[in-house]
Amino acid sequence: MFRQWMFLGCLMVTGMAFCQSVNYDESKVPAYTLPDPLVCEDGSRVETVADWTRRRAEIFRQFQEQMYGFLPEMLEKAGNHPDFVTFEVVEDCPDALSGTALRKQVVLTFTNPQKPGQKVTANLLLYIPKHAKKPVPVFLGYNFMGNHTITPEPEILAFHDRAGNVLTEETLAQKEGTSARGGRVNRWDVAQILENGYALATMHYVDVAKDQRNQCFTSGIFDLYSDYEGETSREKTDWGAITAWAWGLSRALDYLETEKLVDAKKVAVMGHSRLGKTALWAGASDPRFAVVISNNSGCGGAALSRREFGETILIMSGGLRYWFCPKFREFGERVGDFAIDQHELMALMAPRPVYVASAEEDRWADPKGEYLSCLHAVPVYQIFGIEKPFGDQTTPELPSLNQSVGNVIGYHIRTGIHDVTPFDWTQFIQFADRFLK
Ligand code: GCU
């Protein structure tokens, strides 16, 4: 019954043409060989950190070419703090959340000198613990439904709903459930984050680029920095939505580097599901992120592609292909031809701390595949002289439920469904404490 249900889910998500029956049977996972992150394209072996620097560049390029796509040249060349992205603090409230926090709202305005008059704006919401004595570490992550869903505070600016429609006070007042003010308080344990001395910085991903295949490439920052007529006018290795969203996270980090109340050298980038895939790619693309956290990111995120358990590259290259570069689709039926697999995405963080969270019932995201990515990233961390990067985890067996394991690479699998829970936040905070406090 469950399998059938997932199969239908797959039809809904991806469209008939790209569907395959979903495997939830461990014994049917095909035999596979993972690419060795420590063997360079010329066959030489990585022995030193200097060798790894060279090899890392190769792997990063392979991910750009085959999975997430290259940024437009203009963005690549501009690097961090591009002068065509500006910040305006539009609210600075000294007394938020019943006096426990400072609240700031910062509008990021994206422009393009070659397209005068055109702009994209995104709202970064910041909660900072009120009585901090020094600049605090930060959790930075995108939210799915809008900043106004994180807490019920009526002052939070709402730019777009999930579908990308511009919100007004009138249209927002009609929203119910997860898209209403405070509709997602369950996913953002702001109290726990603040009590533990962290700031929370969050932004609605739809402000940056729409999450719809037929609209994404002709709106948001795609429209600003590219000239696509739609998804199909992209070149094979051009950017997909995950790269666009990841670039947006780096611009939020640019702002944090100017914010005196936080320590921008101590930013943990975190994301759930597709936004977990985005957090991982942001962490790989921007070494300024000190800690990288993936929650239930699954296929195209933390899970190994070659296992073909739950969601697969073939399924994803149906209706969700716009998250990736066009070339990505070519690997749907020959996943073994990818130069990379997702353990190498983890390895791109080395030696920085990376944490992966799975959920037992989230089989679509392949918890075991998420765990194995962590395990197979270990040899790269060892190049940095870290003796037990994944703590006592040396075998493919999943650890016990509801228990955080590892070291610089951290992992847990909790009971329950695809979600972000206070338990997850407790683990992220305890993990971050070890490196950011
Ligand atoms: C779908 C998709 C996943 C994705 C998830 C989400 O289930 O197939 O790849 O992670 O949506 O982002 O919620």
Side-chain angles (χ1 to χ4, degrees), residues 6 13-14 144 162 187 205 211 272-277 295-300 311 315-316 320 323-324 362 364-365 418:
M6 281 319 286
V13 171
T14 67
F144 274 88
R162 175 84 188 275
R187 283 218 172 147
Y205 76 134
D211 192 5
H272 168 64
S273 209
R274 71 198 65 185
L275 300 178
K277 308 182 211 294
N295 194 76
N296 305 180
S297 64
C299 189
E311 188 172 30
I315 293 169
M316 200 171 249
L320 299 177
W323 293 350
F324 304 90
D362 186 20
W364 183 243
H418 186 72

Side-chain angles (χ1 to χ4, degrees), residues 23 25-36 302-309 334-338 340-343 366-376 395-397:
N23 176 38
D25 182 346
E26 197 57 41
S27 72
K28 295 208 174 89
V29 169
Y32 60 87
T33 310
L34 292 177
D36 188 338
L304 290 178
S305 306
R306 281 169 176 75
R307 270 174 49 83
E308 306 205 79
F309 184 102
R334 44 183 191 92
V335 62
D337 288 351
F338 263 135
I340 32 99
D341 211 318
Q342 302 307 103
H343 61 305
D366 186 12
K368 185 149 191 184
E370 296 185 315
Y371 171 79
L372 290 175
S373 276
C374 297
L375 186 70
H376 294 299
T395 71
E397 298 319 311

Side-chain angles (χ1 to χ4, degrees), residues 48-66:
T48 65
V49 171
D51 296 342
W52 169 250
T53 305
R54 193 162 52 91
R55 173 66 179 143
R56 186 190 187 280
E58 287 179 1
I59 296 176
F60 185 71
R61 200 198 58 247
Q62 290 165 343
F63 272 107
Q64 289 177 305
E65 276 171 4
Q66 302 188 350

